Amino acid sequence: KWQIKFMVSRRLSRESGHRRKFLAIVDDTPECERAVAYASRRALSTGGILVLLYVIETADFQQFMGVEKIMRAEANERAALALEKFGAKLREIPNLEFENTVREGAKTEEIHALIDEDQDIAILVLAAGSGKEGPGPLVQAIAGRGPSFSIPVTVVPHDLSDEDIE
């Protein structure tokens, strides 16, 4: 007899005074752009808000104690540049509201923490990679969580064009 336990935190996005948020992860992968494009269209078409999350992975900092401060500053600069790159494109879309968030830590842990903290986040949007290795490490990590993941996850095919998304 199978028993599945769901670790679902209550979502507030459907309650009065709240709006559904679509979470997209910004990183240096080519598929990131597809996820942001899809999530922004969904947010716009449903009256929701797009949340862009950039996670600075801090494990590397601990290996190089002497230059930790410099590495952290450089990582924060990369995060700001990446979010600004997407922000410039998103500001061109009339009526689209979006938020930028930067967190430090392990990527999957920070994604889960943000979702737990912001109960208006209702959908995580990821894009599959095109490599032979599979859909990408983030998609695999999230999919590996199975039923313990607390919100629906949309995985966008890597070759979905802007026209198809539209």
Side-chain angles (χ1 to χ4, degrees), residues 135-155:
L138 189 54
V139 172
Q140 289 174 337
I142 298 299
R145 294 286 307 240
S148 69
F149 203 75
S150 63
I151 61 173
V153 178
T154 298
V155 179

Side-chain angles (χ1 to χ4, degrees), residues 25-26 53-57 101 103-107 110-111:
I25 312 307
V26 173
L53 171 63
Y54 190 102
V55 178
I56 297 170
E57 305 234 25
T101 303
R103 297 178 73 114
E104 289 186 13
K107 193 175 279 186
E110 293 304 322
I111 292 168

Side-chain angles (χ1 to χ4, degrees), residues 28-72:
D28 59 357
T29 62
E31 57 267 19
C32 161
E33 192 170 312
R34 297 291 79 212
V36 172
Y38 184 86
S40 64
R41 293 307 307 162
R42 288 281 293 139
L44 187 63
S45 68
T46 62
I49 299 170
L50 172 62
V51 177
L52 299 178
L53 171 63
Y54 190 102
V55 178
I56 297 170
E57 305 234 25
T58 56
D60 296 338
F61 299 164
Q62 296 165 358
Q63 295 174 8
F64 304 101
M65 295 291 217
V67 293
E68 178 181 349
K69 201 177 270 188
I70 294 168
M71 291 177 74
R72 181 169 269 114

